Amino acid sequence: MAKISAAEVNKLRKATGAGMMDCKKALVEADGDFDAAIELLRKKGQKVAAKRADRDSSEGAAIAQVNTENTRGVIISLNCETDFVAKNDDFIKMANDFAEIALNYSSKEEFLKAEYKGITVEEKLTEQTGVIGEKIEIGAFKTLEAPFVGSYIHAGNKIAVLTGLSKSVDGADEAAKNVSMQAAAMNPVALNENGVDQETIDKEIEIAKDTLRQEGKPENMLDKIAQGKLQRFFKDNTLVHQAYIKENKQSVAEYVKSVDSELEVVAFERVALG
């Protein structure tokens, strides 16, 4: 049997993130072969992943990253089972590392096949499932491209938002961050009324009509009044029409135009955990 040194155990721990005892056991079983020990730890991860496949992984870290040109952004969520793991510094660092890689990919499927420290992202997730003992997976994967893209991550990495603006101007960075903070806090259903799906519109009109009937309003007036209530719904629940949280006398669209008269919000993406 090969004699396993503390330095070898520490090297394997740094390479995999596994615990010291798990690393020592893997090296002993692999008779000191470093690569074989890594493979053993990965196989352990596969076994744990299979056992925990049906577990709920609603905790984690939502991370937004934007490229250096501010023309493309990505949000990923690295999901786990418990808040305890989600707050771990190594877990958050891994989520940020993954988000940086994800900037170069257009789909979650492509991203999972991307290289991460000599293995794929997908293999790293399996490995970490074995190391941590919880189901670890990529949940959300959203991208956004625009003439200017900014971002915001809410404290605790529970909400991440990207905002796309119509052009890059002085103050665009702060404006995009402020609009992203708005979306994080107010959770709009769409950018504007054109983005609200017909099912939601029909449901809101029906709710309004039911309420009006209970109030005794005549049937021939219901459609007109319900349309008015629908406009109020758009004002409260679509990003550009919402009252701007830092100055509620103006809408988000008006706030953006105060930065530059031609500036508009053209898109946003929001991911929330928990």
Side-chain angles (χ1 to χ4, degrees), residues 196-209:
V196 181
D197 64 87
Q198 193 60 47
E199 186 180 347
T200 300
I201 291 172
D202 292 344
K203 182 181 173 185
E204 288 302 317
I205 290 174
E206 198 53 46
I207 289 169
K209 285 183 177 180

Side-chain angles (χ1 to χ4, degrees), residues 28 36 47 85 98 133 158 172-173 221 228:
V28 168
K47 288 176 184 175
V85 168
F98 282 162
K158 294 302 182 189
D173 193 41
M221 292 178 62

Side-chain angles (χ1 to χ4, degrees), residues 15-253:
T16 64
M20 295 291 275
M21 288 307 297
D22 285 337
C23 289
K24 186 173 182 180
K25 283 179 186 175
L27 282 165
V28 168
E29 191 175 337
D31 202 24
D33 186 316
F34 189 79
D35 290 335
I38 288 178
E39 191 60 32
L40 284 167
L41 288 170
R42 283 190 194 138
K43 285 177 180 175
K44 180 192 173 191
Q46 289 167 358
K47 288 176 184 175
V48 175
K51 286 179 183 176
R52 304 190 79 81
D54 60 346
R55 297 296 290 261
D56 179 34
S57 58
S58 58
E59 295 292 342
I63 305 293
Q65 289 258 11
V66 177
N67 66 1
T68 52
E69 297 80 20
N70 284 97
T71 55
R72 176 179 170 83
V74 66
I75 301 175
I76 66 153
S77 67
L78 181 61
N79 291 21
C80 58
E81 295 176 31
T82 65
D83 193 46
F84 177 77
V85 168
K87 290 178 177 176
N88 179 275
D89 287 344
D90 288 339
F91 183 86
I92 294 166
K93 183 183 183 306
M94 184 165 60
N96 277 283
D97 288 347
F98 282 162
E100 204 168 307
I101 294 167
L103 266 174
N104 301 308
Y105 296 89
S106 300
S107 72
K108 184 159 96 170
E109 291 70 30
E110 288 177 323
F111 164 61
L112 289 171
K113 297 290 184 282
E115 185 187 344
Y116 178 80
K117 296 184 178 179
I119 57 176
T120 66
V121 170
E122 197 165 30
E123 287 169 339
K124 185 65 178 178
L125 292 169
T126 301
E127 176 193 282
Q128 289 302 298
T129 294
V131 168
I132 295 169
E134 287 191 10
K135 182 179 180 180
I136 308 294
E137 64 180 351
I138 298 297
F141 181 98
K142 296 189 176 186
T143 62
L144 191 154
E145 293 185 30
F148 188 92
V149 179
S151 65
Y152 171 72
I153 302 173
H154 193 60
N157 303 301
K158 294 302 182 189
I159 305 173
V161 181
L162 295 169
T163 294
L165 301 178
S166 58
K167 61 180 189 173
S168 179
V169 296
D170 286 343
D173 193 41
E174 185 180 1
K177 182 180 179 182
N178 284 336
V179 175
S180 295
M181 289 174 70
Q182 171 91 22
M186 302 305 291
N187 192 16
V189 299
L191 177 67
N192 54 36
E193 59 271 36
N194 297 328
V196 181
D197 64 87
Q198 193 60 47
E199 186 180 347
T200 300
I201 291 172
D202 292 344
K203 182 181 173 185
E204 288 302 317
I205 290 174
E206 198 53 46
I207 289 169
K209 285 183 177 180
D210 285 345
T211 304
L212 293 166
R213 286 190 188 101
Q214 289 171 27
E215 292 171 357
K217 296 287 191 293
E219 197 71 26
N220 63 346
M221 292 178 62
L222 296 189
D223 281 332
K224 185 176 181 181
I225 301 173
Q227 283 299 321
K229 287 185 176 292
L230 180 62
Q231 294 308 308
R232 179 70 199 186
F233 173 82
F234 289 151
K235 186 174 185 297
D236 291 341
N237 294 280
T238 61
L239 180 58
V240 297
H241 297 308
Q242 285 179 336
Y244 178 45
I245 52 176
K246 290 190 175 183
E247 176 48 77
N248 60 19
K249 290 181 180 177
Q250 61 181 178
S251 68
V252 170

Side-chain angles (χ1 to χ4, degrees), residues 258-274:
S258 75
V259 176
D260 182 282
S261 61
E262 296 179 354
L263 196 60
E264 295 179 350
V265 183
V266 295
F268 80 99
E269 293 288 355
R270 180 183 188 273
V271 170
L273 291 169

